[in-house]
Amino acid sequence: MTGERLSELLADMPLRIAAYDTVDSTGNILKRFASLGEPEGLLIVAEQQTAGRGQYGRKFFSPKGSGIYFSLLLRPKSDAAEATAITVIAAIAVSKAIEAIAGIPAGIKWVNDVICRGKKVAGILTEATLTSGGIAEYVHLGIGLNLYGGAFPDDIAAKAGGIFEREAPKDLRADLVAASVREFYALYSKLPNGNFMSEYRSRSVLPGRRILLTDEAGTRVVTAETIGDDAALIVREASGESKILTSGRCKIELI
Ligand code: BTN
């Protein structure tokens, strides 16, 4: 059972772990606890979500058997800008965890999709609940890992894949969650001073590639150039004009 193995693997960490079979969304459970004053370090894990949520209000396909879904409650001490840093370090942490456990290279598609063999294998959602003064009251870090491909509906099958090409002989769900959480905390403990952007850039799959960009100006092909220290993506339009993109305001697709 994932919960028991996970508790063993993370026994030395300041976490409280609750593992479920099926939930609507691990994020919904986490938010209920957070609003009751639960301190940082609550980890909610589920084998299946019936209403998994992705970025921009999209659904996150979360079937039983081929993935693992988890949410971590954070109460960062400084300002809300840390939500961006949390997204950045979560993407680094998950890609490092996949490399360590699955032994395959994992890259980051700006801003927070983890890519193996050209397909998205993990999605990350960072949601900050702010006080009236703009301080993060708490942050929900939600991560969905696709272990195996094959079960995706047609609309996402072309873009989504599994960390493993076929079912692994040993169930590695708990190992992947534990490694992701451990890698995350190693970086999170360096906030607000750590600089993670050089590692993030080195793992990024976009720079140098032609990508499909959708923003307020419409949908078109642009060339990704680099990612700035503020985690903005700099692209070049077909006209030659350079444009700075902020996450949440645009959609990027690999072509
Ligand atoms: C995305 O790719 O758009 C982000 C997906 C985030 C999914 C995770 S799974 C655990 C947590 N619970 C949710 O409902 N969503 C996040």
Side-chain angles (χ1 to χ4, degrees), residues 45-56:
V45 188
E47 307 276 341
Q48 178 180 25
Q49 298 184 117
T50 54
R53 284 183 292 108
Q55 293 183 81
Y56 319 119

Side-chain angles (χ1 to χ4, degrees), residues 5-195:
R5 176 149 177 80
L6 194 54
S7 298
E8 281 168 28
L9 290 169
L10 293 173
D12 60 319
M13 295 199 60
L15 298 167
R16 282 128 7 249
I17 301 171
Y20 298 83
D21 183 20
T22 304
V23 297
D24 54 357
S25 158
T26 55
N28 291 351
I29 298 182
L30 180 132
K31 287 178 181 190
R32 263 176 250 141
F33 278 101
S35 63
L36 295 171
E38 181 76 20
E40 173 162 300
L42 178 67
L43 177 62
I44 308 281
V45 188
E47 307 276 341
Q48 178 180 25
Q49 298 184 117
T50 54
R53 284 183 292 108
Q55 293 183 81
Y56 319 119
R58 292 194 288 243
K59 287 185 185 158
F60 187 77
F61 183 61
S62 314
K64 192 176 175 69
S66 61
I68 188 81
Y69 317 98
F70 59 102
S71 290
L72 182 61
L73 172 59
L74 302 167
R75 293 194 185 270
K77 294 190 182 48
S78 46
D79 66 17
E82 284 200 0
T84 304
I86 287 169
T87 301
V88 162
I89 63 179
I92 297 171
V94 171
S95 45
K96 286 175 88 168
I98 291 171
E99 288 180 351
I101 302 296
I104 52 163
I108 299 168
K109 173 182 163 270
W110 184 85
V111 54
N112 54 2
D113 290 345
V114 179
I115 305 285
C116 293
R117 299 182 209 91
K119 291 197 169 183
K120 172 172 173 175
V121 299
I124 299 169
L125 179 67
T126 312
E127 300 175 299
T129 299
L130 304 180
T131 63
S132 51
I135 304 293
E137 186 184 324
Y138 70 88
V139 173
H140 163 223
L141 174 63
I143 299 177
L145 302 177
N146 301 329
L147 268 75
Y148 313 111
F152 299 110
D154 290 348
D155 56 332
I156 52 175
K159 293 176 196 157
I163 294 167
F164 301 103
E165 280 181 299
R166 60 190 70 81
E167 218 154 309
K170 181 168 167 270
D171 187 348
L172 294 168
R173 268 160 248 248
D175 305 61
L176 279 164
V177 176
S180 301
V181 171
R182 202 174 274 287
E183 294 283 2
F184 175 80
Y185 265 101
L187 301 172
Y188 180 66
S189 64
K190 295 182 185 152
L191 287 177
N193 298 318
N195 182 357

